[in-house]
Amino acid sequence: MFNGILIEKDEQGYRANLQRISDEQLPPGDVTVRVAYSTLNFKDGLAITGSSPVVRSFPMVPGIDLAGTVEASAHPDYQVGDEVLLNGWGVGEGHWGGLAQRARLDGNWLIPLPKAFSAAQSMAIGTAGYTAMLAILALERHGVTPEQGEVLVTGANGGVGSFSIALLARLGYRVVASTGRTAEHAYLQQLGASDIIDRASLSQPGKPLAKERWAAVIDSVGSHTLANACAATRANGTVAACGLAQGMDFPASVAPFILRGVTLAGINSVTQPKALRMLAWDRLGQDLDPALLPLISQEIGLSEAIEAAPRLLAGQLRGRVVVDVNR
C-alpha cells in the first residue's frame, strides 16, 4: 500500500482525495518507480479541481511530472536503483501520474535523472523549465540571437515564464516580461528581466499589425495575448507558443506571417522523442543557474496538494510548486 491522490468520477460526483492505494491498482507498465517528488502544474490543478475535463479515464492519479528510483523493471534501459524522471506523455490524464508514492510506467517515457540535478531540483524545473528550454531551442533553430533585439515573455510569473526569463537572460538576451502582478516586479528583475510591461497591454483585442518591437516571443498565454505578440514581432522574428492560460483561441490574422515573415513555432512538451528530451535537459544543466531554483519554486507535501490546486489556478502561487510525495 502507498499514499496517493486519487481522482474519481461516478454517480456521487467528481472528487479528489488523498488515500491509501494498493499496488494491485497500479496500471500496466514495464517500469515501477518509487516516486520521491512530483509537481503541481496548471494541468494538475485543472485535474484535481475538475475545472476542465483534462482527465480522460477514472480513477486517476494526477501529476504530469515525477522523479524517483526504479523499483522493478522489464525495460532494457533501466535497472533497479536507477534514478529517473518523467515529463508529459499523458500521465495524470490517461495514465496514472506522479502525485503518489509509486508509479508504474512505460519505460520509453522515462529519461535518466540528469547528473546536474537532484530529484528535488529536477522537479523544481519540471515540465515548466523543460518547456521553456524547448521554446528556446526552437528560437535558436530559427536563427534568433541576442543581437537581434528584445524577447517578450508572457505569463512571466508562471513556471514557464519564470524559467524562460532566467534562461534567456543567462544566454545574453534582453528580456521583456509581461505580467499582471505589479507586486512581482522585483522577482522578475531578479530572474533577469530588463523591462516589465502590464499584461493588459496585450490581453485585449488588437490590430492585425502593430509597431515592430519583439525579435522573438515565448508565449504561455494564448488568445489575444498571442495574437498581439505576433502582431508586434519584427520581420522574420519567431514566436514560440506553448500555453493557453488566457484561452485556446487565436483571434489573429495572417498579416504578421505573410507581410513580415514571422514564424509561429508550436511547442509540444508532451510527446517529444527521447533524444530531444535529453538534449533539452542537458541544456538546462548547462544554461540554468541552479541558485535560482529556491526563488522560482516552493515545496509542499502531498497532503497539501489538493488545497493548493485552486490557488494555483487563481494565479496566487508564484513559479513552481514541488510536491514531496512522502510527506
Side-chain angles (χ1 to χ4, degrees):
M1 301 288 289
F2 58 94
N3 294 327
I5 293 174
L6 200 63
I7 300 171
E8 298 173 283
K9 183 181 180 182
D10 52 30
E11 64 278 359
Q12 299 175 41
Y14 188 103
R15 60 199 181 278
N17 293 301
L18 177 61
Q19 60 190 69
R20 297 287 286 169
I21 301 170
S22 71
D23 288 6
E24 290 72 25
Q25 291 174 266
L26 286 168
D30 54 8
V31 179
T32 302
V33 176
R34 183 174 70 255
V35 181
Y37 294 92
S38 185
T39 61
L40 192 66
N41 290 279
F42 191 82
K43 191 176 287 185
D44 302 319
L46 295 175
I48 289 171
T49 62
S51 303
S52 181
V54 298
V55 177
R56 300 194 298 271
S57 64
F58 298 90
M60 178 59 57
V61 173
I64 68 172
D65 292 323
L66 65 86
T69 305
V70 173
E71 282 193 331
S73 176
H75 192 284
D77 290 351
Y78 300 103
Q79 309 298 319
V80 173
D82 288 349
E83 291 188 291
V84 295
L85 69 79
L86 180 147
N87 310 113
W89 292 103
V91 299
E93 302 171 75
H95 187 98
W96 284 20
L99 286 170
Q101 293 173 318
R102 190 165 287 124
R104 186 170 293 142
L105 306 154
D106 183 333
N108 294 317
W109 301 341
L110 302 169
I111 65 169
L113 181 70
K115 290 182 171 55
F117 305 114
S118 68
Q121 288 175 320
S122 76
M123 289 296 95
I125 298 165
T127 287
Y130 163 64
T131 301
M133 182 51 77
L134 289 176
I136 289 169
L137 290 171
L139 299 186
E140 292 177 348
R141 284 197 302 273
H142 287 91
V144 178
T145 62
E147 296 74 27
Q148 293 173 358
E150 296 174 316
V151 178
L152 171 68
V153 175
T154 67
N157 282 102
V160 175
S162 295
F163 281 105
S164 295
I165 293 167
L167 289 163
L168 287 166
R170 197 169 194 201
L171 289 167
Y173 292 88
R174 178 176 171 82
V175 185
V176 178
S178 169
T179 182
R181 295 189 240 172
T182 56
E184 299 289 4
H185 283 200
Y187 164 70
L188 297 174
Q189 290 165 344
Q190 283 179 278
L191 293 179
S194 300
D195 194 9
I196 300 169
I197 62 172
D198 191 329
R199 70 181 178 199
S201 65
L202 297 169
S203 61
Q204 301 302 314
K207 298 177 180 179
L209 281 178
K211 183 179 179 181
E212 295 181 54
R213 179 169 180 182
W214 321 118
V217 179
I218 296 179
D219 174 68
S220 59
V221 178
S223 191
H224 292 291
T225 299
L226 176 58
N228 288 321
C230 290
T233 297
R234 295 166 62 174
N236 301 311
T238 299
V239 178
C242 57
L244 43 72
Q246 186 180 3
M248 192 179 289
D249 58 321
F250 182 42
S253 80
V254 298
F257 312 115
I258 64 174
L259 298 179
R260 291 183 181 161
V262 171
T263 295
L264 181 58
I267 307 302
N268 162 29
S269 64
V270 178
T271 56
Q272 292 294 347
K274 186 174 183 177
L276 183 55
R277 285 182 280 145
M278 293 186 68
L279 171 62
W281 277 96
D282 285 345
R283 282 289 303 273
L284 284 162
Q286 296 172 37
D287 299 330
L288 179 66
D289 180 0
L292 290 175
L293 291 178
L295 178 66
I296 296 174
S297 65
Q298 57 184 293
E299 186 178 302
I300 64 174
L302 185 62
S303 61
E304 302 169 83
I306 293 175
E307 184 273 333
R311 293 194 290 124
L312 177 75
L313 296 182
Q316 297 170 357
L317 299 177
R318 172 208 286 173
R320 297 282 298 151
V321 180
V322 179
V323 181
D324 180 346
V325 300
N326 295 301
R327 69 174 178 88

